[in-house]
């Protein structure tokens, strides 16, 4: 980027930019501009709800300089872009330095609420940490991340957000040549467990402390000076996130320690999947042959990752304190998961037999591979529609429903449709948006799905097909883990 001259003055779009991360010493990142993408980058979609997080007026989406900035062609005035460095464990094995191989921090914005938000471009070209990668991202994975982060946000699950998708106009080589894209993603911080592991495993323990203090001061101000309490808070947030994933039926797919947010956010959407038919052993990542990151394993893996983080913090926090804090995982996870599942069934008063009722439903769903989302959502509809999810004449389903109706006779179920979504981002739905954009340059389907996912509890007359399990032709979609 250096040396390039711009005919227009550089924009800042009125953003309150702060070079916050760059206040760390320079071994935490490399300052650099983006590699130029194709000659004519083109805006595919932009997200007003994400713009609001930055106090950014969505009118800028129509400013030609918006696509220039969000493609990496032009920096924001007042911010010096940088690539963060981190390492991590991949599939349980120490992998050393991993990234950021294709994401650049192009801004940090302080909004009117006082929140600091990172703006990152994912797929904007190589960095010193790209290893063998090309620094690029494909349209397919960019659309998937854009939609999924919006879906989780609307379901109340902590996540990075996405501001825009830009088509680069260039091909990107994966299994085949695919259209390239740049995703603008937002998070209050993109710091990962792997950032701490990076310095610990290089023997640079002082830098672990510098980073911890930086993160605590900005994002956990009430815990300044208490590293153990901060680690405890990370354990708690991670445990709660796992409970939320499990309750909504979301499988991340690549829970390497470099994909674990220090703020307890869902980040780095790859071959993720929302459950269709309930299968606890569901593996959405086809390279995960052992099922390390299967749906049912997610809480256990989160615990494993928190242990890896504890090791990285072991010079900072006494061992016993780390052990004690890590031990709170189960209580936070179990307590939250239990409460969420009770809420999904509308069980407000604790009654003996409730756990059996919940367990009985999950066992029945697993046996029949009943649709996860609809098994809860349809409880508020006609009994016949709910029973149809379990196969015609299923007497176990009939018996469970009779027990449930009796148990909830005196419960108020009128709020259930604000707890159990009608729409989640099923793979086949994401694929429909991708095909329309890739094959027909048509963004209308993407836009429709995007809007549905922003209010997943509403009915959306005319678009109800997107609430359905996959049609036969899209039942066995293989989600490539290349991205
Ligand atoms: P992931 O497990 O997909 O989050 O990727 C692990 C690391 O590889 C991350 O730090 C990425 O930045 C990096 N990476 C993934 N794809 C590419 C690519 N095409 N070029 C450069 N780095 C990449
Ligand atoms: Mg990653």
């Amino acid at each position: 980027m250096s040396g390039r001259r711009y005919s227009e003055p550089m924009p800042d779009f009125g953003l309150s930019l702060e070079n916050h991360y760059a206040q760390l010493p320079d071994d935490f990142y490399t300052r650099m501009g983006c590699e130029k993408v194709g000659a004519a980058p083109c805006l595919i979609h932009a997200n007003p709800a994400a713009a609001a997080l930055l106090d950014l007026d969505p009118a800028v989406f129509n400013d030609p300089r918006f696509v220039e900035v969000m493609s990496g062609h032009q920096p924001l005035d007042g911010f010096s872009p940088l690539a963060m460095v981190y390492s991590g464990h991949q599939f349980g094995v120490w992998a050393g330095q991993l990234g950021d191989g294709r994401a650049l921090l192009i801004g940090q914005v302080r909004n009117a609420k006082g929140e600091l938000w990172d703006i990152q471009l994912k797929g904007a070209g190589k960095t010193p940490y790209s290893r063998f990668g090309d620094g690029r991202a494909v349209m397919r994975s960019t659309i998937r991340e854009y939609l999924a982060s919006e879906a989780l946000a609307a379901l109340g699950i902590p996540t990075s957000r996405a501001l825009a998708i830009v088509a680069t106009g260039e091909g990107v080589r994966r299994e085949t040549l695919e259209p390239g894209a740049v995703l603008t993603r937002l998070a209050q911080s993109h710091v990962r467990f792997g950032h701490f592991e990076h310095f610990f495993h290089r023997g640079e323990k002082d830098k672990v402390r510098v980073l911890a203090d930086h993160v605590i001061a900005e994002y956990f101000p009430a815990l300044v000076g208490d590293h153990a309490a901060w680690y405890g808070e990370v354990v708690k947030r991670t445990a709660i996130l796992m409970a939320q994933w499990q309750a909504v039926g979301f499988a991340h797919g690549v829970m390497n320690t470099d994909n674990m947010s220090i703020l307890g956010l869902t980040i780095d959407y790859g071959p993720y999947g929302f459950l269709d038919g309930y299968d606890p052993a569901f593996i959405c990542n086809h390279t995960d042959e052992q099922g390390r990151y299967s749906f049912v394993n997610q809480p256990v893996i989160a615990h494993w990752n928190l242990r890896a983080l504890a090791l990285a913090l072991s010079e900072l926090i006494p061992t016993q304190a780390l052990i004690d804090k890590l031990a709170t995982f189960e209580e936070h996870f179990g307590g939250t998961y239990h409460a969420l599942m009770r809420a999904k069934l509308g069980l407000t008063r604790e009654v003996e037999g409730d756990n059996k009722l919940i367990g009985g439903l999950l066992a029945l769903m697993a046996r029949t591979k009943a649709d996860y989302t609809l098994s809860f959502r349809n409880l508020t509809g006609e009994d016949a529609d709910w029973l149809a999810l379990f196969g015609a004449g299923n007497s176990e389903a009939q018996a469970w429903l009779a027990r449930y109706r009796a148990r909830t006779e005196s419960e108020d179920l009128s709020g259930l449709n604000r707890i159990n979504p009608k729409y989640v981002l099923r793979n086949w739905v994401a694929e429909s948006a991708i095909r329309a954009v890739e094959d027909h340059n048509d963004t209308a389907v993407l836009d429709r799905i995007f809007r549905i996912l922003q209010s997943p509890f509403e009915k959306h007359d005319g678009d109800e097909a997107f609430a359905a399990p996959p049609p036969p032709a899209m039942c066995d979609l293989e989600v490539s883990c290349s991205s």
Side-chain angles (χ1 to χ4, degrees):
M1 177 136 295
S2 56
R4 228 176 98 95
R5 294 201 169 268
Y6 303 105
S7 46
E8 298 281 322
M10 290 192 296
D12 68 6
F13 302 127
L15 296 168
S16 292
L17 289 160
E18 284 183 19
N19 282 273
H20 193 266
Y21 201 74
Q23 286 161 17
L24 288 166
D26 55 12
D27 5 33
F28 287 82
Y29 52 82
T30 300
R31 284 184 203 260
M32 57 179 300
C34 304
E35 262 180 347
K36 208 167 161 277
V37 299
C42 161
L43 186 65
I44 296 293
H45 208 269
N47 180 354
L53 301 169
L54 308 177
D55 301 330
L56 177 68
D57 181 350
V60 303
F61 299 162
N62 301 316
D63 182 335
R65 295 173 308 169
F66 182 74
V67 75
E68 286 282 298
V69 169
M70 299 315 161
S71 60
H73 277 204
Q74 192 170 7
L76 286 166
D77 194 15
F79 193 90
S80 174
L82 59 88
M84 298 168 148
V85 65
Y86 58 79
S87 296
H89 282 84
Q90 295 186 310
F91 289 89
V93 178
W94 177 244
Q97 184 174 302
L98 289 170
D100 243 321
R102 56 170 170 175
L104 274 199
L105 185 63
I106 63 147
Q108 288 188 293
V109 172
R110 180 78 61 190
N111 70 15
K113 286 196 221 155
E115 298 163 343
L116 187 67
W117 283 85
D118 285 4
I119 310 176
Q120 281 203 349
L121 297 186
K122 183 168 175 181
K126 282 189 191 151
T127 77
Y129 318 118
S130 296
R131 297 174 295 154
F132 307 109
D134 56 9
R136 297 298 182 196
V138 296
M139 180 63 77
R140 163 176 58 79
S141 67
T142 301
I143 290 175
R144 281 172 53 83
E145 176 153 357
Y146 186 84
L147 290 175
S149 54
E150 204 57 22
L152 261 64
L155 292 166
I157 301 177
T159 176
S160 61
R161 301 294 296 272
L163 178 65
I165 300 175
V166 170
T168 63
E170 283 180 345
V172 174
R173 174 63 59 190
R174 295 291 180 260
E175 288 91 345
T176 58
L177 194 66
E178 298 191 42
V182 177
L183 177 77
T184 309
R185 68 174 172 187
L186 313 177
Q188 290 202 37
S189 169
H190 286 87
V191 171
R192 301 139 191 276
F193 292 6
H195 279 82
F196 296 92
E197 293 180 282
H198 178 75
F199 294 106
F200 176 79
H201 288 277
R202 287 164 58 114
E204 298 178 279
K205 315 289 159 67
D206 52 322
K207 292 188 185 132
V208 176
R209 177 184 298 273
V210 168
L211 184 60
D213 288 342
H214 178 87
V215 164
I216 295 169
E218 181 59 44
Y219 306 103
F220 303 84
L223 304 179
V224 167
D226 191 343
H227 293 123
W230 164 63
Y231 175 70
E233 180 64 21
V234 178
V235 170
K236 179 177 171 188
R237 289 191 191 190
T238 306
I240 292 174
L241 181 68
M242 290 309 113
Q244 291 177 304
W245 285 1
Q246 299 308 112
V248 83
F250 175 80
H252 180 282
V254 201
M255 290 177 64
N256 294 330
T257 56
D258 55 304
N259 291 338
M260 298 294 292
S261 152
I262 201 69
L263 301 187
L265 310 172
T266 311
I267 52 168
D268 280 22
Y269 292 84
Y272 68 82
F274 281 88
L275 296 172
D276 289 310
Y278 181 47
D279 174 9
F282 174 59
I283 302 168
C284 54
N285 180 350
H286 291 280
T287 56
D288 182 10
E289 281 161 21
Q290 313 292 319
R292 178 180 174 84
Y293 299 142
S294 70
F295 177 71
V296 73
N297 273 4
Q298 296 190 119
V300 172
I301 292 295
H303 186 276
W304 192 97
N305 289 339
L306 284 161
R307 206 176 50 180
L309 177 64
L311 177 64
L313 301 176
S314 56
E315 305 259 324
L316 203 59
I317 301 171
T319 307
Q320 193 56 49
L322 288 167
I323 291 170
D324 292 347
K325 296 295 182 191
L326 185 56
T328 66
F329 180 90
E330 210 165 305
E331 169 198 325
H332 291 307
F333 170 74
T336 309
Y337 181 70
H338 186 70
L340 290 173
M341 296 310 283
R342 289 185 58 84
K344 286 177 83 64
L345 293 180
L347 310 177
T348 52
R349 296 169 293 105
E350 292 255 1
V351 170
E352 210 189 315
D354 280 355
N355 288 349
K356 241 177 118 183
L357 191 71
I358 299 170
L361 175 60
L362 289 172
L364 173 66
M365 286 162 61
R367 268 199 300 283
T368 53
K369 301 271 186 293
D371 187 82
Y372 188 83
T373 303
L374 297 181
S375 291
F376 293 97
R377 176 74 183 197
N378 287 6
L379 284 171
T380 52
E382 298 292 326
D383 283 2
D385 289 340
W386 186 85
L387 286 167
L389 298 169
F390 300 85
N394 185 320
S395 57
E396 282 181 78
Q398 285 163 356
W400 186 89
L401 188 62
R403 273 210 313 283
Y404 176 69
R405 293 286 181 233
R407 163 63 183 84
T408 52
E409 225 168 15
S410 58
E411 296 276 8
D412 174 10
L413 300 184
S414 62
L416 272 198
N417 282 354
R418 290 189 297 277
I419 293 172
N420 297 319
K422 181 174 169 81
Y423 299 91
V424 292
L425 183 56
R426 299 172 186 272
N427 270 343
W428 80 265
V429 173
E431 192 63 22
S432 305
I434 293 165
R435 288 187 189 172
V437 170
E438 287 192 346
D439 300 347
H440 308 291
N441 213 9
D442 166 10
T443 58
V445 182
L446 170 65
D447 188 59
R448 265 165 68 199
I449 294 169
F450 173 80
R451 286 167 198 277
I452 289 169
L453 294 173
Q454 284 190 320
S455 51
F457 303 102
E458 307 301 322
K459 280 173 70 186
H460 298 284
D461 292 334
D463 272 334
E464 301 198 309
F466 290 126
M474 294 176 98
C475 249
D476 295 313
L477 286 179
E478 290 243 329
V479 177
S480 169
C481 49
S482 69
S483 58

